[in-house]
Amino acid sequence: MAKKTQPIDTGYLTEHHDLYDVPRFNENDRDYFFTLNENELFELEQLRVSSNKAYFILLLGYFKAKPVTLTLTWGIVKNDLAYIYRKYFPNSKVPRKNIHKDAKSDIYKKVFLLTGFRRFSDNDEKKLLEQASLAVFNRADSKNVFDTCVNYLNQQ
């Protein structure tokens, strides 16, 4: 006897992709999100390795568009990296490799400082669980609980 499977909630998948996928930029978006102000240029100059500098610009631009930490692969970000190299490092070749996780973590620390964000702590998790519990108590609808949690995090 075949096991009956649950239908996939495509609305959830769409929301998940909207929140956590790498932004898809056109040329105007790239011009806007990958242009650095004075403070950002100062932080850029603190980095020594050109590939880390390029990823700093990339991650900062993505974070401005979507304030979440993203999982990246070179294949997904190669067009944006090519733009960054043309604009900031015209005499360098775009490396065909992913950024090392430690370098990415260091870059995100700089991005958080520049944008006024911080890493999610155990205390933040406790407070978020309290908000989720209240949302469940008021209306045990997974979409409502998720939206309540996202709104809470945005306020914090």
Side-chain angles (χ1 to χ4, degrees):
M1 188 164 151
K3 184 178 178 180
K4 189 175 180 179
T5 59
Q6 295 286 359
I8 296 173
D9 181 357
T10 56
Y12 168 78
L13 290 176
T14 300
E15 275 191 31
H16 185 273
H17 289 300
D18 287 346
L19 285 171
Y20 298 109
D21 282 359
V22 170
R24 305 273 184 223
F25 288 162
N26 60 34
E27 284 301 308
N28 289 333
D29 295 333
R30 289 182 183 111
D31 286 340
Y32 179 76
F33 288 107
F34 297 142
T35 297
L36 304 180
N37 66 31
E38 191 174 308
N39 291 336
E40 295 162 350
L41 283 168
F42 177 80
E43 288 299 326
L44 177 71
E45 293 307 316
Q46 305 312 302
L47 297 168
R48 289 177 280 174
V49 180
S50 63
S51 63
N52 288 352
K53 289 181 177 193
Y55 271 98
F56 169 77
I57 297 166
L58 181 81
L59 293 175
L60 178 61
Y62 286 167
F63 198 81
K64 289 175 185 178
K66 284 185 184 182
V68 295
T69 56
L70 300 168
T71 301
L72 308 173
T73 60
W74 181 85
I76 293 172
V77 302
K78 65 183 177 182
N79 293 334
D80 292 333
L81 277 175
Y83 170 88
I84 290 166
Y85 271 85
R86 280 192 311 273
K87 182 173 181 173
Y88 291 96
F89 315 105
N91 298 323
S92 298
K93 280 189 155 186
V94 181
R96 300 183 79 147
K97 63 179 184 174
N98 294 326
I99 188 171
H100 188 273
K101 65 179 181 151
D102 291 338
K104 180 181 167 188
S105 179
D106 290 342
I107 290 168
Y108 266 124
K109 287 176 188 174
K110 288 181 177 292
V111 168
F112 293 156
L113 283 173
L114 284 167
T115 58
F117 282 77
R118 60 183 166 78
R119 286 230 178 251
F120 192 71
S121 70
D122 290 339
N123 190 42
D124 294 323
E125 181 179 7
K126 180 182 172 195
K127 290 178 180 178
L128 181 60
L129 287 172
E130 290 170 5
Q131 291 295 315
S133 294
L134 284 172
V136 168
F137 180 76
N138 291 328
R139 184 173 168 197
D141 167 309
S142 61
K143 171 92 169 82
N144 182 48
V145 173
F146 177 78
D147 289 344
T148 299
C149 291
V150 169
N151 288 335
Y152 172 77
L153 290 171
N154 284 333
Q155 292 171 0
Q156 298 304 308

